[in-house]
Amino acid sequence: MTRIPYLDLKAVNAEIQPELDRAYAQIVASGWFILGKAVETFEGAFADYVGVRHCVGVGNGVEALHLILRAYGIGPGDEVIVPSNTYIATWLAVTYAGATPVPVEPDPHSYNLDPNRIEAALTENTRAILPVHLYGQAADMRPILAIASRHDLVVIEDAAQAHGASYQGRRCGGLGHAAGFSFYPGKNLGALGDAGAVTTEDDALAEKVRSLRNYGSKKKYENEMLGFNSRLDELQAAFLSVKLPYLDKWNEHRRQIAEVYTDAFSQVPELTVPHTLDSASHVWHIYPLRCTDRDGLQAHLNRAGIGTLIHYPVPPHLSEAYATLGYKQGEFPVAEAIAQTELSLPISPVMTMDETEVVVGAVLDYFG
């Protein structure tokens, strides 16, 4: 039986194994493992790639968002607009800062934060809007930024799934006041462990995040503020520097797979294919097919040897972690409907077009 994994990280890394091995050897030989030249090199390269002045490497994606919020002084008593349809890490960053996440429903076509619903959720305590570029597609940033400007709010991008994605010709991570990236191994640009970064044009914010990530210190034993231990390490920075030049090629391959999927499934009544905004260049971190019989289709594909995932079966407002906020089933029906019907199909830079056609055939076979 053909086995097609959802994501084969061994195969992804095998293509560049000699370069990864050299990077590892160089770091080990240097004897320097925290906040050294490798981090500086990657920060410079990724800032250039995104098109901003600053990139600050941190421990992971949720810490990137958390430290941005802290650096802007957002905390207890403040509210932050977040999507109801996202991974819980977006909400957790707000909670870590001591602020309150205020969910707003997504656009039912793009699955990203709906700008038309934001202003109704604003209060005198709102300090920021935190749109997520979900699945690899940029949120509709122009109206979001206009709302923020009218109400004097900060816009913080959650770009954890949007490495290389763009909106109106500008890359995600350089659209709002600041952005948080995750380099979790399964991302389009993935490290070989946890890693993250903050990108921004804001000089003062970048300087503060650099201190916050390192115990609140710019100079050893001189602590200016209550900080954290959230540093991108030298090994992961070196691995990311190896991978970054391949990112655009890998993203283009994902687009080709997504195009085959969309062409094949767009005429199947039981399926809803993802919509791409005209203003966005999608990088397809996830291909979120929706199906009225999601569980049956997933079981069928599993029997055919095809790996799938569900992103995400429980919306944050219905998770036990946020039970204290008091949200009930039915309060955010768009997010809940997505959670009940979404199925992520295999997509990766090493997946072949022959494998793609096998997946297409298996899906179509289920619907006769």
Side-chain angles (χ1 to χ4, degrees):
M1 178 182 296
T2 301
R3 295 295 306 180
I4 302 176
Y6 176 74
L7 175 62
D8 188 348
L9 287 178
K10 288 178 66 175
V12 172
N13 292 323
E15 288 197 341
I16 54 173
Q17 192 67 53
E19 293 176 76
L20 294 173
D21 290 344
R22 283 194 294 273
Y24 172 82
Q26 288 169 359
I27 297 302
V28 172
S30 76
W32 195 283
F33 303 104
I34 300 292
L35 296 184
K37 291 182 180 179
V39 169
E40 292 178 6
T41 297
F42 174 71
E43 287 176 338
F46 196 66
D48 289 344
Y49 180 82
V50 171
V52 294
R53 283 199 297 273
H54 303 284
C55 170
V56 184
V58 298
N60 53 65
V62 69
E63 279 297 306
L65 297 173
H66 169 218
L67 295 183
I68 293 169
L69 290 160
R70 291 271 184 175
Y72 277 126
I74 296 171
D78 296 328
E79 296 176 351
V80 177
I81 300 296
V82 295
S84 57
N85 177 47
T86 185
Y87 183 52
I88 197 170
T90 310
W91 289 40
L92 288 174
V94 177
T95 302
Y96 292 165
T100 301
V102 176
V104 169
E105 288 272 69
D107 179 289
H109 302 292
S110 71
Y111 309 143
N112 278 325
L113 185 64
D114 188 344
N116 296 314
R117 298 174 183 258
I118 291 175
E119 288 189 286
L122 300 180
T123 73
E124 61 182 11
N125 297 319
T126 308
R127 290 284 310 281
I129 304 173
L130 210 172
V132 179
H133 305 310
L134 197 65
Y135 309 139
Q137 175 165 225
D140 194 359
M141 293 296 290
R142 184 175 180 180
I144 292 173
L145 290 166
I147 292 168
S149 179
R150 286 198 297 272
H151 297 276
D152 193 26
L153 304 174
V154 175
V155 178
I156 302 167
E157 303 167 67
D158 183 337
Q161 300 183 2
H163 313 78
S166 64
Y167 176 84
Q168 296 184 339
R170 296 174 57 202
R171 291 199 195 276
C172 294
L175 303 169
H177 295 93
F181 281 89
S182 166
F183 302 117
Y184 180 79
K187 304 298 187 183
N188 290 34
L189 179 63
L192 304 188
D194 270 327
V198 171
T199 57
T200 185
E201 285 281 276
D202 187 332
D203 298 342
L205 177 82
E207 183 178 9
K208 195 162 186 179
V209 171
R210 287 192 179 97
S211 291
L212 284 170
R213 73 175 176 182
N214 190 37
Y215 302 105
S217 173
K218 297 175 187 174
K219 184 178 180 181
K220 197 168 186 177
Y221 302 127
E222 295 182 9
N223 301 83
E224 303 168 346
M225 63 189 78
L226 296 174
F228 304 86
N229 177 8
S230 181
R231 302 170 298 201
L232 174 63
D233 70 64
E234 289 284 282
L235 273 173
Q236 299 306 334
F239 295 146
L240 289 167
S241 289
V242 168
K243 289 188 170 189
L244 182 58
Y246 294 93
L247 179 57
D248 288 344
K249 181 183 77 170
W250 288 344
N251 284 343
E252 182 56 35
H253 187 68
R254 287 173 177 269
R255 291 189 187 100
Q256 293 170 7
I257 295 171
E259 184 176 356
V260 172
Y261 282 159
T262 298
D263 288 347
F265 304 142
S266 58
Q267 301 304 315
V268 180
E270 297 88 348
L271 300 176
T272 301
V273 298
H275 172 75
T276 302
L277 296 175
D278 291 339
S279 57
S281 177
H282 205 318
V283 294
W284 299 102
H285 172 61
I286 291 167
Y287 187 90
L289 187 68
R290 292 180 62 191
C291 179
T292 52
D293 182 20
R294 187 262 310 283
D295 294 344
L297 176 59
Q298 185 176 41
H300 168 75
L301 294 176
N302 184 58
R303 290 191 295 270
I306 297 169
T308 59
L309 290 177
I310 297 171
H311 295 91
Y312 302 95
V314 181
H317 72 278
L318 296 180
S319 68
E320 187 176 350
Y322 282 102
T324 56
L325 295 183
Y327 294 116
K328 305 298 183 184
Q329 184 89 31
E331 289 193 58
F332 298 95
V334 180
E336 291 169 21
I338 294 170
Q340 292 161 7
T341 57
E342 193 275 344
L343 184 65
S344 303
L345 298 183
I347 190 165
S348 83
V350 295
M351 184 176 176
T352 68
M353 300 315 292
D354 286 344
E355 289 173 325
T356 304
E357 293 295 346
V358 171
V359 175
V360 167
V363 172
L364 296 180
D365 179 64
Y366 185 68
F367 297 103

